[in-house]
Amino acid sequence: MQKPVLRLLPLLLVLLALPMGAMAAEKDCLYVMNASQTVYELHWADGGNVWSYNPDETRDVFTNADQTRMVAVGSVSAGTPVNVTGSHPLDSSYVEIVYYTSGGASVGYVAAGSASKNYFVLTFPEGSAYGSYRVPNGMRNDVHAIQTYLVTQESAFGVTTDEIRAALALLGAAETTPPSGGSSGSSSTGGGSSSGGSSSGGSGSRATPRPVETVQVTLDGTPVTIDTLGLYESVIVLEGEKQTVMTAALSWSPSAEAEHALAVIYAPRTGAATMHSQSGGKGDVLKKCKNGRIVLVTEWGKNYCKILYNGAVGYVLTDALKLYPHDWSSAYETPRTGTLSYNGRTVGKATVNVRTTGDGKGTILNEWIIGERLVVYGENEKGWCEVDIDGTHGFVQAKYVTLDEVPETDE
């Protein structure tokens, strides 16, 4: 009578040995593959390291398709849970996905349109401290799983199971049924991309449209568009042409007081600050603001500030910002300009990490290919330079910085 139990024992041991982290992560996926697909990675043409591309936060460095090649690295089958995290930098017929295997999370590219939405939009009643959130369909009947998901993925701190049940009661059957097909587009669940708090997230949402707020930026009274914001100098678009100007020469309305009109996202623990549509952490989650990004402050508050980040206006915790004055030169030494380099070379495919702190222990904000322009605010005793680079403020080792020559002046 005991032999059948003995036969089952090896199977039970195998099941117990499965990576529980990957299984749990799959439950958080907002998309599902509707067809089997080959997964590709993007490599440099010479076989160098894969460039980690983030379409929402990083400027496109792939200006020539001949520089790169797609390499098949595996496949995903129909029905595999995934998250769609962006688009291919050069070819819109592919999207970037995160998928899970026995080895954990992997990132790759698959054909656009091969993943379908697998979530419903949970909208809390009017007057609630919470807005609208995308929730994986697999959690539809598990209020505790939804609660954990909202707290850990969407920063809906303090939401109760009773509030979730009230929101679920507002849902109709059509709102919890995944579509039969179609592309997931370039929607994202992380990094600096649009997160699940958007009121536009899916058919059948009861969320009401949110008025779009704008910030008008001007140079000498002429409206301009900010291409790259810096604490000291910025790149703007004026009458279709890009030009570099002093940030102090720009004005924006509405704007906070001059002493804290600029800021850098400071989120050392999570890597991103959550932007809400209302102060106090209320309303929709508009974006996850990436650590180190430079932003305009349109309204300052002791607990929350209103900012402009990647075209969106919303509220983040004041503690999640490092505030700076509108005119850098009024409070600090005039910085120098330079170029990101490797062994003195400013041309090539080498990349350099930029970190949150100037001691080598800070988290990596991103990696940039050499040749990128820098504003250098100085070098500390540990050999690290404080810099602005492509809209991010951080630190890079001085050996990777080539300073521009200082023009000689007539005495």
Side-chain angles (χ1 to χ4, degrees), residues 305-322:
C305 288
K306 199 173 188 179
I307 65 171
L308 173 66
Y309 174 89
N310 280 8
V313 179
Y315 293 88
V316 298
L317 282 167
T318 302
D319 285 346
L321 299 173
K322 287 186 176 180

Side-chain angles (χ1 to χ4, degrees), residues 44-258:
W44 290 112
D46 62 5
N49 292 335
V50 178
W51 177 268
S52 177
Y53 182 77
N54 186 330
D56 188 52
E57 304 291 351
T58 307
R59 191 175 65 190
D60 185 2
V61 298
F62 297 105
T63 57
N64 184 350
D66 293 336
Q67 296 176 355
T68 61
R69 60 190 176 94
M70 293 283 279
V71 178
V73 294
S75 64
V76 286
S77 58
T80 300
V82 300
N83 273 321
V84 179
T85 52
S87 57
H88 189 287
L90 290 174
D91 189 345
S92 60
S93 62
Y94 291 94
V95 293
E96 185 183 71
I97 65 167
V98 176
Y99 61 103
Y100 297 88
T101 65
S102 59
S106 298
V107 179
Y109 295 97
V110 296
S114 59
S116 297
K117 296 176 182 177
N118 188 35
Y119 62 83
F120 63 94
V121 178
L122 187 68
T123 301
F124 287 85
E126 185 176 352
S128 169
Y130 308 99
S132 298
Y133 305 92
R134 297 181 299 178
V135 179
N137 273 319
M139 299 181 183
R140 174 63 177 83
N141 297 313
D142 190 339
V143 293
H144 295 288
I146 294 174
Q147 182 184 45
T148 300
Y149 181 81
L150 294 181
V151 170
T152 58
Q153 301 292 324
E154 302 295 347
S155 300
F157 302 115
V159 65
T160 66
T161 53
D162 286 341
E163 289 172 315
I164 293 171
R165 289 188 180 94
L168 287 171
L170 298 176
L171 291 174
E175 295 172 273
T176 62
T177 303
S180 58
S183 171
S184 60
S186 59
S187 298
S188 172
T189 62
S193 302
S194 298
S195 188
S198 173
S199 60
S200 61
S203 172
S205 172
R206 297 177 184 270
T208 56
R210 188 171 31 81
V212 178
E213 295 189 59
T214 60
V215 176
Q216 185 179 44
V217 183
T218 59
L219 176 66
D220 297 328
T222 303
V224 299
T225 300
I226 294 178
D227 177 80
T228 306
L229 181 64
L231 296 178
Y232 180 68
E233 65 177 31
S234 300
V235 178
I236 63 168
V237 179
L238 175 61
E239 297 179 350
E241 298 291 331
K242 290 184 180 182
Q243 57 178 278
T244 301
V245 301
M246 296 296 101
T247 303
L250 298 175
S251 300
W252 53 94
S253 178
S255 176
E257 296 83 355

Side-chain angles (χ1 to χ4, degrees), residues 76 130 190 232 291 294 297-298 394 403:
V76 286
Y130 308 99
Y232 180 68
N291 203 19
I294 304 167
V297 182
T298 63
L403 291 172

Side-chain angles (χ1 to χ4, degrees), residues 250-337:
L250 298 175
S251 300
W252 53 94
S253 178
S255 176
E257 296 83 355
E259 61 267 26
H260 36 55
L262 294 167
V264 174
I265 301 296
Y266 178 67
R269 184 177 62 84
T270 61
T274 303
M275 176 192 283
H276 290 265
S277 61
Q278 299 176 33
S279 184
K282 300 179 180 180
D284 294 345
V285 175
L286 304 181
K287 280 187 178 290
K288 297 290 187 178
C289 303
K290 190 177 179 182
N291 203 19
R293 299 296 289 186
I294 304 167
V295 299
L296 297 180
V297 182
T298 63
E299 180 182 311
W300 179 86
K302 183 177 180 181
N303 298 314
Y304 282 85
C305 288
K306 199 173 188 179
I307 65 171
L308 173 66
Y309 174 89
N310 280 8
V313 179
Y315 293 88
V316 298
L317 282 167
T318 302
D319 285 346
L321 299 173
K322 287 186 176 180
L323 296 162
Y324 293 89
H326 187 180
D327 185 359
W328 177 281
S329 61
S330 66
Y332 303 94
E333 182 180 348
T334 302
R336 293 180 63 180
T337 57

Side-chain angles (χ1 to χ4, degrees), residues 3 13 20 30 53 103 168 335 347 353 373 399-401 410:
K3 289 183 179 181
L13 292 175
M20 302 305 292
L30 298 176
Y53 182 77
L168 287 171
V347 177
N353 292 330
R373 179 180 172 82
K399 65 181 180 180
Y400 298 128
V401 175
D410 297 330

